Amino acid sequence: SLSAKEKRMAKEQIKSGNASIIIGTHALITDTVEFKDLALVITDEQHRFGVKQRAALSGKCHSRIPHVLVMSATPIPRTLAIIIYGDLDISVMDEMPAKRLQIKNCVVGKDYRPKAYSFIKNEVKNGHQAYVICPQVEESESTDEENVTGYGEKLKEIFGDSVRVGILHGRMRPKDKNLIMSQFATGDIDVLVSTTVIEVGVDVPNATVMMIENAERFGLSELHQIRGRIGRGDAQGYCIFINTSRDNKKKKRLEILNHSND
């Protein structure tokens, strides 16, 4: 999103070595970015990068093999396999930051929704905020999954003027998405109804409740990441998994997250 002039200046600093630490997006992988002497590559949220992308970035050093550090809270199968076969040294951070509390979880059916709404309203009354995650953007004829657009309107009717509700999804223009996230971060939105676009990189310490609709539709790693958006302050965090399936296997799978924050 830099201007052409800003990009050119940044690339010149990188190539000349005047910039000793470079922080960037996938744009750093492009052929037009040249490093003077790349010695260390740190990839945060490494599961968001392809294998060839990570290799291309490491390959931008021609005089040595750079040190590589990959970071992630999402244990994707490929990374686990590399660890198992001994091709990756690991460092594990398994302690909570100071003053943070373990998130309290519950897996419930759709009949629990009224209680959940009441609980969210009470948390907002106490000065906190909440997320509600839906698997779809809009209503679909082929499935009965909850959708962000309809759910947002429903919550506005349920809560009335006492709770400010906002919606967020990937089809929105970047400008509009940034505005909604900014309003949520500053406390101008109390309840954010969203798709999984908030899965990573969102830090709102004041948010204490995460309600996930059709939780059985998501992968466990994805649910773990979504849950990680709450409990980022010193207040107690609560995650409500709404299971709309009667499949015992799906319920058993969700119980894994119900009894573990690891």
Side-chain angles (χ1 to χ4, degrees):
S1 61
L2 294 175
S3 67
K5 182 180 179 181
E6 290 171 330
K7 285 180 185 176
R8 187 174 65 253
M9 290 176 63
K11 290 174 182 177
E12 288 173 357
Q13 285 187 308
I14 295 169
K15 186 176 181 179
S16 66
N18 288 334
S20 54
I21 298 177
I22 300 96
I23 302 170
T25 61
H26 290 69
L28 289 178
I29 303 170
T30 57
D31 294 335
T32 57
V33 178
E34 296 181 46
F35 293 82
K36 181 180 180 182
D37 185 17
L38 184 61
L40 171 64
V41 178
I42 301 174
T43 306
D44 194 14
E45 304 293 358
Q46 62 97 7
H47 58 283
R48 290 282 185 172
F49 293 79
V51 177
K52 290 183 178 180
Q53 287 180 320
R54 276 174 276 164
L57 189 52
S58 300
K60 284 183 174 287
C61 178
H62 306 294
S63 60
R64 70 172 98 189
I65 298 176
H67 294 285
V68 175
L69 173 64
V70 295
M71 301 191 293
S72 177
T74 303
I76 58 175
R78 182 179 181 276
T79 301
L80 291 176
I82 293 173
I83 293 170
I84 289 169
Y85 288 106
D87 292 330
L88 193 68
D89 294 321
I90 61 171
S91 296
V92 179
M93 293 185 290
D94 58 2
E95 293 182 345
M96 301 286 285
K99 295 184 179 180
R100 285 199 188 177
L101 303 172
Q102 288 278 5
I103 294 171
K104 293 183 178 180
N105 308 291
C106 67
V107 177
V108 294
K110 53 188 178 182
D111 293 341
Y112 189 83
R113 283 173 183 151
K115 289 184 179 179
Y117 300 151
S118 178
F119 182 75
I120 289 172
K121 189 172 183 178
N122 190 58
E123 282 293 297
V124 170
K125 184 180 178 181
N126 291 331
H128 297 298
Q129 293 161 277
Y131 297 93
V132 176
I133 306 301
C134 298
Q136 291 198 123
V137 175
E138 297 175 334
E139 188 176 5
S140 171
E141 293 181 359
S142 61
T143 176
D144 58 355
E145 294 177 3
E146 297 296 335
N147 67 90
V148 169
T149 307
Y151 211 101
E153 293 303 315
K154 181 172 74 171
L155 288 186
K156 287 177 182 178
E157 291 182 13
I158 292 172
F159 291 137
D161 297 333
S162 62
V163 176
R164 296 163 297 180
V165 178
I167 65 170
L168 180 72
H169 55 77
R171 294 183 192 172
M172 297 170 66
R173 293 183 303 174
K175 182 180 178 181
D176 295 332
K177 285 192 287 188
N178 291 336
L179 176 61
I180 293 296
M181 279 313 307
S182 176
Q183 289 176 331
F184 189 65
T186 56
D188 293 325
I189 291 175
D190 300 311
V191 176
L192 183 63
V193 183
S194 173
T195 57
T196 56
V197 293
I198 55 92
E199 184 179 346
V200 294
V202 176
D203 184 22
V204 182
N206 192 47
T208 56
V209 183
M210 173 65 70
M211 180 177 172
I212 305 173
E213 282 287 353
N214 304 113
E216 74 281 359
R217 300 283 185 172
F218 299 93
L220 293 183
S221 293
E222 192 170 33
L223 288 171
H224 177 65
Q225 278 282 15
I226 296 170
R227 179 174 59 183
R229 298 311 99 199
I230 58 166
R232 303 176 76 86
D234 56 4
Q236 179 65 59
Y238 306 89
C239 189
I240 306 167
F241 300 99
I242 303 292
N243 177 22
T244 59
S245 171
R246 295 187 179 183
D247 189 322
N248 286 330
K249 286 185 178 180
K250 292 179 179 179
K251 183 178 180 181
K252 188 176 180 181
R253 194 170 64 90
L254 288 175
E255 286 297 332
I256 295 171
L257 283 176
N258 191 19
H259 298 292
S260 174
N261 284 302
D262 190 339

